[in-house]
Amino acid sequence: MREAIVNRDAKAFSESGRAPEYAQPSVERDPILDLTAARIFFDAPVGPLRLDHAEGVAVHEDGSVWCGGEAGQVYHIAPDGSTIELRVDDRDGFTLALAFGPDGLLYYVDSARLAVMRLDPSGGQPETFVAGSIDGHRLEIPNAIAFDADGRLYLTESHSPTEPGPGVYRIDPDGNGSLWSDGPFLFANGVAVAPDGSAVYVAETWSRRITRVPIGGDGAAGEPELHVELPGILPDGLGFGPDGLLYVACYQPSEVVRIDEHGNPRTLIRDDDAIVLAHPTNIAFRGSTAFCANLGRWHITAIEVG
């Protein structure tokens, strides 16, 4: 049934040139938080060092905020948002998601190089972690990353916006990896590992849903299952908050959705004008503060979730 639904949506997109439409969103759209709970944490639209449409965001243990740019940059922002430093200036790349590993290194996806890179936040140049292909599977649109408690990295391969396909890769700390779940997913995007290590959650952007992939006792991927549908929304980045709930950064409309412990989605906060929240693509937490990267503008947003 699930495969039939995915194929139906892909066919509708392919024939019409648009994502499939739904009659009535199932998400509770009355926001939990007023927009005043969000603020611009750091903004750099002009000047010698510009924040170049960050898509990914990550928080270091020292409280600093790290993000990427659409030309392969990696930026370091002071914990109080007072200063910015360009740590990687790579004009041939395109930085997507970022995440700190248990080893303390910053890992990030460079989609232009079809690679996952890693960087020592204390200094030095980035190095390639994996690139080109994984276990004989050539990467096409590597997108988002997340770590489990054992330091294994999960990488989504978006594959295609119109055709379902694989999938999610799992890569060991030594760089050896394999296709962990072949889905199929219709544009596997954001990824997050459950705090208890029981499952991996995947945002399927063009299916407008979040899919749960159970982690078996042997670490193998179980059968993908629908976690929640988000009609009328394009889910992008995923992150678990300190409350153990799953948060979804939504590219369209500009909002963050929170999924409660019963699997019920509700809009946490929304910006109808796309100014403070401007097509958020990824989300990361520092305590009860959520940081969102905004692909639509030149700033990082901070949201006091409370």
Side-chain angles (χ1 to χ4, degrees), residues 13-282:
F13 185 100
S14 179
E15 292 179 348
S16 69
R18 298 180 295 105
E21 297 294 335
Y22 294 85
Q24 178 64 40
S26 60
V27 181
E28 171 56 60
R29 304 308 296 274
D30 183 26
I32 297 171
L33 300 177
D34 187 81
L35 190 57
T36 57
R39 61 187 170 87
I40 294 176
F41 173 70
F42 185 87
D43 192 16
V46 297
L49 183 53
R50 304 183 183 188
L51 191 55
D52 191 9
H53 296 94
E55 175 152 343
V57 63
V59 177
H60 189 259
E61 60 182 8
D62 66 4
S64 59
V65 176
W66 297 67
C67 59
E70 63 180 17
Q73 306 98 320
V74 174
Y75 302 94
H76 164 264
I77 303 173
D80 62 358
S82 60
T83 60
I84 186 171
E85 174 190 5
L86 183 61
R87 283 298 315 277
V88 177
D89 187 12
D90 182 357
R91 296 297 169 175
D92 294 322
F94 195 128
T95 303
L96 298 181
L98 307 91
F100 282 97
D103 56 9
L105 300 180
L106 177 67
Y107 291 74
Y108 64 94
V109 177
D110 186 329
S111 65
R113 286 186 165 79
L114 302 178
V116 177
M117 311 295 291
R118 62 183 176 187
L119 174 71
D120 186 339
S122 65
Q125 296 299 310
E127 63 178 14
T128 301
F129 182 52
V130 296
S133 62
I134 298 174
D135 195 29
H137 296 271
R138 177 165 174 78
L139 297 174
E140 297 179 13
I141 312 175
N143 201 320
I145 53 176
F147 284 93
D148 66 16
D150 295 320
R152 293 172 296 204
L153 182 149
Y154 293 83
L155 167 69
T156 55
E157 161 61 70
S158 297
H159 182 70
S160 166
T162 59
E163 296 294 332
V168 179
Y169 291 88
R170 188 173 68 185
I171 307 167
D172 294 329
D174 62 5
N176 291 315
S178 61
L179 181 61
W180 181 72
S181 175
D182 60 4
F185 305 101
L186 186 52
F187 207 82
N189 201 332
V191 62
V193 180
D196 63 2
S198 62
V200 170
Y201 292 81
V202 180
E204 292 190 61
T205 299
W206 293 114
S207 286
R208 292 173 163 85
R209 60 167 62 98
I210 308 300
T211 296
R212 180 182 184 272
V213 184
I215 300 176
D218 58 356
E223 184 69 20
E225 56 193 38
L226 175 66
H227 181 57
V228 65
E229 289 194 89
L230 301 172
I233 290 174
L234 296 181
D236 200 313
L238 300 179
F240 279 93
D243 53 9
L245 301 181
L246 184 62
Y247 291 76
V248 185
C250 304
Y251 178 78
Q252 179 64 25
S254 294
E255 67 180 63
V256 174
V257 168
R258 184 169 71 186
I259 302 171
D260 70 17
E261 62 272 20
H262 305 295
N264 300 312
R266 181 175 177 183
T267 297
L268 175 74
I269 192 168
R270 181 174 62 244
D271 187 346
D272 293 326
D273 296 321
I275 295 176
V276 179
L277 270 177
H279 305 293
T281 47
N282 275 281

